Amino acid sequence: DIVNTVDRLIGKAPDLKGRTILITAGPTREPLDPVRFISNHSSGKMGYALARQATLRGAQVVLISGPTNIEPPVGLYKFIPVETALEMEKAVLDNFNQAQVVIKAAAVADFRPKKYNLGKIKKQDGGMVIELVKNPDILQELGQKKQQQVLVGFAAETDEPEKNAVDKLKRKNLDFIVLNDITQEGAGFGSDTNIVKIIYRDGRIEVLPRMLKRDVADAILDRVLPYLN
Amino acid sequence: DIVNTVDRLIGKAPDLKGRTILITAGPTREPLDPVRFISNHSSGKMGYALARQATLRGAQVVLISGPTNIEPPVGLYKFIPVETALEMEKAVLDNFNQAQVVIKAAAVADFRPKKYNLGKIKKQDGGMVIELVKNPDILQELGQKKQQQVLVGFAAETDEPEKNAVDKLKRKNLDFIVLNDITQEGAGFGSDTNIVKIIYRDGRIEVLPRMLKRDVADAILDRVLPYLN
């Protein structure tokens, strides 16, 4: 009916009422010293759009976010700001059990500097080498721990995107994965729009048109619904 | 008189009218691949405050800025956004000759990755090593090229701050240097206030109290005036 349609259009059908959804967003920063860090171009827009739409649809949202310039949406259940992948891991694990849905939109650094310098590293002649060690793979840990949770991941790929996304979906035991082809204009980091494909465990690939990240968020939440009991 | 005092208080005495001031601000980002980069915690606030106050005081301001979240001040003569140290170098050199004053508030990365990967670097088992090469020292180049220009640098130090700042002042042929002790609360990166010392070529050290970055900007511009002919 008309009320439901309008509610739907403005993203307010309370179809996620009573659900706790854990969403991660933004980049992480992996410090070299008090001044320098390694990071990535994630703006956090996709994750914040998911948090906002899920909140509007009645969910109890826990948003765990790396450093971004976005105000957290109004009405969040919990907002947990973090800097590093290790902080992100702890916050996610602390909040995993209570969640029915986990959507990992954060771009967590795969590596961190092996050594953190307490003082600022001085400029020196010639080159320099930074040793990196692998960060924990949070999504993979969740895939192993998962009980009733619906687990959704993102992939941002430049090479063989579909193949890499399918590998990630299986390896990490996800329910579905959202693939960003970051080589396309109007997709991925920093943009207000996104072009995504959704890939399912049975191999089905759904291609969505270019949409506002808000609408991509609703499309993802729509696809979570059938997994909820 | 009262009008001058009020103008001064609101930062509008046109005492920099007819002068071209080149100001750099923000961090640089040194890319590893299309997604990842090395950067630093510079927010750009100090450089943007300098650009704003200099504009209010009548100067023709060229602001060259790494990525920040700040709107460029109204009334700039030129705004040149850059990402990397090499882009910053080119923009600064292109605009150096026309400037009477150069204030380098940017936190330019000392190093950049030796290799840029066109595709996203895939996660791999074990560690990883990044080779870095030295970026050009833009301030030192300017110190060598300088004719009539007043040249002001910044130092953000954690170890032996005064000694390191004096070394930098001399090595780079600056007129004076603004020392941020980033280990203090209410100073340096991201903060709206700053605590600085100004160090002159004759060895004089002037200690300023904690002030809004806007007021630190005016204090720096006040100290530039006597150098102008």
Side-chain angles (χ1 to χ4, degrees):
Chain A
D1 64 51
I2 240 188
V3 172
N4 270 340
T5 308
V6 169
D7 274 344
R8 202 78 204 75
L9 285 173
I10 59 172
K12 278 184 182 160
D15 52 7
L16 293 169
K17 206 171 157 70
R19 310 296 187 166
T20 298
I21 304 192
L22 173 58
I23 296 170
T24 69
T28 64
R29 285 181 178 171
E30 308 298 323
L32 284 157
D33 69 19
V35 173
R36 299 174 180 95
F37 55 80
I38 300 178
S39 190
N40 64 64
H41 288 290
S42 170
S43 64
K45 285 181 184 172
M46 192 63 239
Y48 279 63
L50 280 160
R52 181 169 181 278
Q53 296 313 108
T55 301
L56 289 173
R57 290 167 71 159
Q60 188 164 280
V61 174
V62 178
L63 175 60
I64 302 174
S65 175
T68 74
N69 316 308
I70 315 176
E71 284 296 309
V74 174
L76 287 181
Y77 174 61
K78 261 198 220 175
F79 176 69
I80 308 176
V82 298
E83 284 269 333
T84 66
L86 293 176
E87 289 168 17
M88 174 78 76
E89 181 192 33
K90 183 177 183 318
V92 168
L93 294 177
D94 286 350
N95 289 277
F96 183 63
N97 286 339
Q98 65 173 124
Q100 285 89 53
V101 180
V102 178
I103 307 180
K104 288 221 69 223
V108 177
D110 297 325
F111 293 93
R112 66 177 180 277
K114 188 171 180 180
K115 184 166 172 246
Y116 174 75
N117 267 69
L118 283 172
K120 191 179 161 191
I121 301 167
K122 293 298 298 171
K123 201 180 321 200
Q124 50 208 283
D125 286 329
M128 192 175 143
V129 164
I130 305 176
E131 263 192 280
L132 303 179
V133 294
K134 219 177 159 184
N135 272 325
D137 188 326
I138 304 173
L139 198 49
Q140 193 151 350
E141 287 181 72
L142 300 187
Q144 284 159 9
K145 276 187 202 297
K146 130 172 146 172
Q147 310 279 338
Q148 90 299 358
Q149 285 96 346
V150 184
L151 194 54
V152 178
F154 276 75
E157 301 288 345
T158 54
D159 306 317
E160 300 187 275
E162 284 185 20
K163 180 183 169 300
N164 280 315
V166 169
D167 285 354
K168 189 169 175 179
L169 167 76
K170 290 182 182 165
R171 201 171 61 244
K172 303 193 179 181
N173 192 22
L174 310 180
D175 291 288
F176 62 84
I177 191 162
V178 182
L179 170 62
N180 260 316
D181 182 351
I182 55 174
T183 60
Q184 283 187 75
E185 194 69 34
F189 298 135
S191 177
D192 287 322
T193 59
N194 214 351
I195 307 172
V196 303
K197 294 177 186 174
I198 297 183
I199 306 182
Y200 300 90
R201 291 178 78 90
D202 61 8
R204 204 160 28 98
I205 298 183
E206 195 183 355
V207 180
L208 301 184
R210 188 161 84 101
M211 299 197 284
L212 287 174
K213 284 186 173 172
R214 181 193 63 199
D215 298 326
V216 176
D218 271 322
I220 292 168
L221 296 171
D222 289 345
R223 282 149 187 83
V224 164
L225 285 176
Y227 291 87
L228 292 168
N229 38 25
Chain B
D1 62 51
I2 244 190
V3 171
N4 270 339
T5 308
V6 168
D7 274 344
R8 201 79 203 71
L9 286 174
I10 59 171
K12 278 186 185 161
D15 52 6
L16 293 169
K17 207 171 156 67
R19 311 294 188 167
T20 298
I21 304 192
L22 174 57
I23 296 170
T24 69
T28 64
R29 285 181 178 171
E30 309 298 324
L32 283 157
D33 69 18
V35 174
R36 302 174 177 96
F37 56 80
I38 301 178
S39 191
N40 64 64
H41 288 290
S42 171
S43 63
K45 284 182 186 170
M46 191 64 240
Y48 278 63
L50 280 160
R52 182 171 181 277
Q53 295 314 108
T55 300
L56 289 173
R57 290 166 71 158
Q60 190 165 277
V61 174
V62 178
L63 176 61
I64 301 173
S65 174
T68 74
N69 316 310
I70 317 178
E71 283 296 310
V74 174
L76 287 181
Y77 174 60
K78 262 196 219 176
F79 177 69
I80 308 175
V82 299
E83 284 269 332
T84 66
L86 293 176
E87 289 168 16
M88 174 79 75
E89 181 192 33
K90 182 177 183 319
V92 168
L93 294 178
D94 286 350
N95 289 278
F96 183 62
N97 287 336
Q98 64 172 126
Q100 285 90 52
V101 180
V102 178
I103 307 180
K104 287 221 71 221
V108 177
D110 296 326
F111 294 95
R112 67 177 180 278
K114 188 171 180 181
K115 184 165 173 248
Y116 174 74
N117 267 66
L118 284 171
K120 190 178 161 192
I121 300 166
K122 293 298 299 172
K123 202 179 323 198
Q124 50 210 284
D125 284 329
M128 192 176 143
V129 163
I130 305 176
E131 262 191 279
L132 303 180
V133 294
K134 218 177 160 186
N135 272 325
D137 188 326
I138 305 172
L139 198 48
Q140 192 151 349
E141 288 180 72
L142 299 186
Q144 284 159 10
K145 276 186 203 298
K146 130 170 144 172
Q147 309 280 337
Q148 88 299 358
Q149 285 96 345
V150 184
L151 194 54
V152 178
F154 276 75
E157 303 287 345
T158 52
D159 305 316
E160 299 189 277
E162 285 185 20
K163 179 182 170 301
N164 280 315
V166 169
D167 286 353
K168 187 168 176 178
L169 168 74
K170 291 183 180 163
R171 200 170 62 244
K172 304 195 178 179
N173 192 24
L174 310 180
D175 291 288
F176 62 83
I177 191 162
V178 183
L179 170 62
N180 259 318
D181 182 352
I182 56 174
T183 60
Q184 284 186 75
E185 192 71 31
F189 297 132
S191 177
D192 287 322
T193 58
N194 213 351
I195 307 171
V196 304
K197 294 177 185 174
I198 296 183
I199 306 182
Y200 299 89
R201 290 177 77 89
D202 61 8
R204 203 156 31 94
I205 297 183
E206 196 183 354
V207 181
L208 301 184
R210 188 161 85 102
M211 299 196 284
L212 287 174
K213 284 187 173 171
R214 182 192 63 199
D215 297 326
V216 175
D218 271 321
I220 291 168
L221 295 171
D222 289 345
R223 281 147 187 84
V224 164
L225 285 177
Y227 290 87
L228 292 168
N229 37 26

